[in-house]
Amino acid sequence: MDFELSADQRAFADTARQFAQTALAPHAAEWDREAIFPREAIAQAGELGFCGLYAPENAGGLALPRLDATLVFEELAAVDPSTTAFITIHNMATWMLGTWATEAVRTTWGEALTSGQKLASYCLTEPGAGSDAASLKTRADRDGDHYVINGAKAFISGAGSTEVLVLMARTGAPDSGAKGISAFAVPADAPGISYGKKEEKMGWNSQPTRVISFDNVRIPADHLLGQEGEGFKIAMKGLDGGRINIATCSIGAAQGALTQAQQYMQVRKQFGKAIASFQALQFKLADMATELVAARQMVRLAASKLDAAAPDAATYCAMAKRFATDAGFMVCNEALQLHGGYGYIREYPLERLMRDARVHQILEGTNEIMRVIIARRMLEADAPDAIR
C-alpha cells in the first residue's frame, strides 16, 4: 500500500494547478458574478486533455485511472469549483458515450467531446424523478429506424449550451422500473428539443442549469448506448465515477479555502497580535486540515476501488461522496468564519467557494441517498469483514 503519488501523477497535478492559476483564477469571480459560461476556458482545458481524462482512447480520451483524474479535478476546483464541476460532468458523459456508443456515434462525437470543442450534458433527473431515478417517465419509443422521445429533464448542467445530451429514457412498460430504461446520445439541437429559463442559483453560476423538454424528438436508432434496458445500469456506472468527481470538487474547494484561511491567520491582527497565535483558532485550523486529509484519502481509496473494478466499489464511492462533500462544506464554512466579516464579502473568495460547495451534498445522489446505499450493503452478512 503506497500513499505517495508517482512522478506522472504529480506532473498531472502540477499542470492542472498552473492552468487553474492562469486560466481560471483571474476570471472565476467574474464568471460567478455575471453568470458567464466560460466555453473558451473549457476548450483550453480540453487542449490539455482535461475534457477526456478517463474516456477511452478510441474516443480520443486519455483513458487515465479515476485516481489520476481526481488529482486534476482537485487542483482546478481549488480555484473554481463551479467550472470544474461542469468539466467533471462533461467527463462523465463523454466517458459514457465513448464506452457504450456505436462506432458511428463515437466517431462523430468522441474526439469533439474529449477535445472540449463540443460539450455534453448528463440527463437523468426529471421534475418528478430525483432520488427515485428509476421512476423516470421520459419515453423513447422505437419507430422503424428511429426512436421518438417525449418528456422532460430538470436541473441539467450545461443545458442550452452543450451539443450532446446523454439521455436516460424509458423504453419498457410504464411500470418496468430500472429494467425498462435505456440510454441515448441525443444531438442537443434536434428538432423538438426546447430549453427552459436559466435557473438562478445559490452557486454554480458559471454553468447554466435548465429544464429540457422533448416533443416528438426523432433520433436514429444507432444513437442507443449499449442495449435496450441497460440504461439504468449505464447511468449508475456513470454516477459511481460522478460521485468521486463531485467529492473531489469538494476537496478542491476545501483546499482552496484552507489555504486562504491559513494565510489570513498570519496577517490578520487583533489585540496586538496575529490571530494565528490564538489557540482556539489554531485548534479550528487543525480540525479543518484533519477532516480534509481524511476526506481526500477516502476519495482516493474509492477511486482506486473503481479503477480495480472491486465488487464493493459503488459502496466506497457512496461513502466518499457523503463524507467528502460534508467535510468539504464544513472546511469552507469554517474558513469563512476565520475571516470574520471579510469572509462574507465578495472581495474574498470564501463565500463563493462555500456557495459552490453546498450543492455537492445534493447532486449525484443526495447524501441521504448515499447513506441508504451504504446501509443496504452494511446490513448484508459479510459486510463487516468486506467493507473495511
Side-chain angles (χ1 to χ4, degrees), residues 353-372:
L353 293 173
M354 191 179 78
R355 284 188 290 107
D356 284 346
R358 178 61 182 88
V359 74
H360 300 170
Q361 295 167 295
I362 298 172
L363 50 81
E364 309 291 35
T366 66
N367 284 3
E368 290 74 19
I369 291 297
M370 296 304 99
R371 290 180 172 91
V372 170

Side-chain angles (χ1 to χ4, degrees), residues 113-309:
L113 293 173
T114 54
S115 69
Q117 296 304 306
K118 304 291 185 182
L119 300 177
S121 291
Y122 177 76
C123 303
L124 175 64
T125 301
E126 297 185 0
S131 295
D132 184 13
S135 68
L136 64 83
K137 299 186 183 305
T138 295
R139 289 204 59 83
D141 294 304
R142 187 69 181 257
D143 182 19
D145 292 334
H146 290 78
Y147 283 94
V148 180
I149 303 171
N150 287 279
K153 296 294 180 178
F155 303 120
I156 304 304
S157 292
S161 299
T162 55
E163 286 74 32
V164 181
L165 310 175
V166 174
L167 173 78
M168 309 304 145
R170 188 165 301 284
T171 50
D175 61 351
S176 57
K179 295 181 179 179
I181 295 171
S182 300
F184 301 88
V186 181
D189 61 353
I193 295 179
S194 59
Y195 297 91
K197 66 178 179 65
K198 185 165 69 171
E199 303 289 358
E200 296 184 8
K201 307 188 295 290
M202 174 180 173
W204 272 29
N205 291 318
S206 70
Q207 53 170 294
T209 302
R210 291 183 172 91
V211 168
I212 308 178
S213 298
F214 302 84
D215 183 11
N216 290 321
V217 176
R218 295 181 67 87
I219 61 170
D222 70 356
H223 283 42
L224 176 71
L225 301 180
Q227 303 296 319
E228 275 201 11
E230 290 185 337
F232 194 77
K233 178 184 71 175
I234 291 172
M236 293 304 104
K237 285 183 176 295
L239 282 179
D240 282 341
R243 286 163 182 161
I244 291 173
N245 291 346
I246 289 302
T248 302
C249 287
S250 286
I251 297 301
Q255 183 64 59
L258 179 68
T259 300
Q260 292 283 330
Q262 189 266 356
Q263 294 172 350
Y264 183 77
M265 287 175 67
Q266 308 292 337
V267 298
R268 174 64 169 169
K269 292 186 177 181
Q270 289 289 275
F271 307 104
K273 52 187 176 180
I275 63 173
S277 65
F278 300 127
Q279 192 176 63
L281 302 188
Q282 293 173 2
F283 285 1
K284 187 182 291 288
L285 192 70
D287 286 343
M288 292 161 63
T290 302
E291 293 291 313
L292 177 54
V293 170
R296 178 181 290 116
Q297 296 308 318
M298 177 166 277
V299 169
R300 292 181 180 179
L301 171 63
S304 297
K305 293 285 188 181
L306 195 58
D307 287 331

